[in-house]
Every structure is written in C-alpha cells, then in structure tokens.
Amino acid sequence: MHRCLVGVGVMLAFALAALGGCGGGATVHYYLIDPEPGPVLRSDGPLAIEILDLEVPQYLERVQLASRGSGNEIDYATSHQWSEPLRKTLARVLAEHLIVVLATPEVATPHARLASTPQLRLQVHVDRFERGSDGRVELRGRWQLTDAEDGRVLATEAARITGDDRVGRGDYAALVASMQRSFAEFAQRIARSVAERAAGAPPEAPG
C-alpha cells in the first residue's frame, strides 16, 4: 500500500512539473483580417448574393500563420496564430466587403445564411495566401459567378496579387496588415466582376 501511494505521489509531481513548464511558454499572439472596402460600384437596389464556399488549401487550414521559405518550405509561427479559421475569416470579410461596395445587405455565406432567395452564387478558391520567400505577400485565387436561377456560368476569373511592401521575417503585425490589404484588393476585383454581371454584361461564352 505504501509503495502505491509513493507511486501516485511521483506521478502527481511529474504532472505539476509539466503544467509549470507549460505556464512558462511564450505568449501566443492572435490575429484577424478586417475588411477594407474600396469604392462603391453600384447603387441600384438590393442584390441577393450567396457565397457558396470559400476554400483555402489544406496547408493554410492550420491556426499558425504561414510563411514560405526557400525551396518551397513552409514555416509556421507557433506563437502567432489566427483567432478563427482563416477560411471562415476570409468568407466573412468578403461578404462584408460586398455588402459595402455593392450597396446590398443581402450577402450570405456558409456561416451566415439569409432567408432571401439569391440571384447570384459565388464560389471562391484561394490557392495561395502567405508571405513569400522574397518577403512579399502573395495571393493567388479564382472565383466563379453563376446565375442562381438557371445555373448559367456568368464569369470565371482569376487574380494574382503581390503585396507592395516587403515584410521582415518575424514581423507578424506587418504580415497580417499586408495580407489584409491584399485580400481587400482581391475582394474588390470579385465585387467588380459581380457588379458588371449584375448590370447586364453578357455571360461567359461556353468552352
């Protein structure tokens, strides 16, 4: 019996030591991307838009901020993390951007459905979105806009955006700020595509 109690005491001591070690770790900093709406593109009344999905590659689904090193190496910042999944953040920020620049409150996302019947549906793919090995943020993405009533493809477009400023390695506040500006430009291009089709531009030719 005595030996058993000693064993439990040793185990408890190890557990407390482990907890103490965790408490002495580095402080974790959390980040969000906020909307930066550009010029208003239309004011012809409500336009109901449904963002069906906004996808990011699996390597960006981690909570840690990612940077691309030499030789296609991806570095993750353990102490600098997103406050919510990046995929969810970008869908929300895109919706808020469209609400402002398209002058309509009726923009639904997979995380915020609306009762309105959509007129247009939007599918977005972000293929790359991180600090590159040259220090500049690179965003590569695609989107497809369809008519919600008959499923016709109205536009399929892509964008490649490079940040204006070089971000120093380890400067995560500057990194997030540059990512925010880059995504605002990406969202504005999507908004322009939507505004043109909503104004009656011809649909994309098949094939």
Side-chain angles (χ1 to χ4, degrees):
M1 183 68 177
H2 179 70
R3 284 194 296 270
C4 292
L5 289 175
V6 170
V8 171
V10 171
M11 291 172 63
L12 180 60
F14 275 121
L16 291 174
L19 288 173
C22 291
T27 300
V28 178
H29 301 268
Y30 297 93
Y31 301 87
L32 280 174
I33 289 177
D34 289 325
E36 290 187 3
V40 174
L41 299 174
R42 67 181 298 277
S43 57
D44 301 331
L47 176 66
I49 305 165
E50 181 182 15
I51 301 173
L52 288 174
D53 198 8
L54 188 149
E55 298 180 356
V56 300
Q58 188 172 357
Y59 76 90
L60 290 178
E61 291 184 346
R62 297 178 56 161
V63 295
Q64 296 91 350
L65 271 66
S67 296
R68 190 171 292 263
S70 59
N72 290 328
E73 180 181 2
I74 299 294
D75 299 321
Y76 293 102
T78 304
S79 300
H80 298 269
Q81 303 180 5
W82 297 113
S83 295
E84 64 179 356
L86 184 60
R87 179 180 181 182
K88 184 175 182 179
T89 295
L90 298 183
R92 174 178 52 78
V93 171
L94 175 59
E96 293 180 23
H97 190 105
L98 298 180
I99 286 169
V100 174
V101 303
L102 299 178
T104 178
E106 299 183 274
V107 180
T109 75
H111 316 288
R113 301 289 185 184
L114 296 178
S116 306
T117 300
Q119 298 163 258
L120 300 172
R121 288 195 168 100
L122 190 61
Q123 180 81 34
V124 182
H125 299 266
V126 172
D127 299 313
R128 179 180 290 192
F129 192 27
E130 70 266 358
R131 176 189 179 275
S133 58
D134 65 350
R136 299 182 189 274
V137 168
E138 183 178 10
L139 192 163
R140 298 182 190 177
R142 305 166 278 137
W143 64 92
Q144 186 172 83
L145 186 67
T146 58
D147 187 298
E149 183 176 356
D150 57 21
R152 286 181 304 132
V153 175
L154 304 177
T156 301
E157 300 183 44
R160 180 172 179 172
I161 297 166
T162 303
D164 293 331
D165 303 320
R166 295 184 187 275
V167 178
R169 185 177 294 275
D171 191 349
Y172 293 102
L175 171 59
V176 173
S178 184
M179 293 178 75
Q180 181 167 299
R181 290 191 297 271
S182 296
F183 191 75
E185 182 178 344
F186 183 67
Q188 188 72 6
R189 294 190 190 187
I190 294 175
R192 190 176 301 114
S193 177
V194 173
E196 289 172 355
R197 289 356 181 250
E204 180 181 274

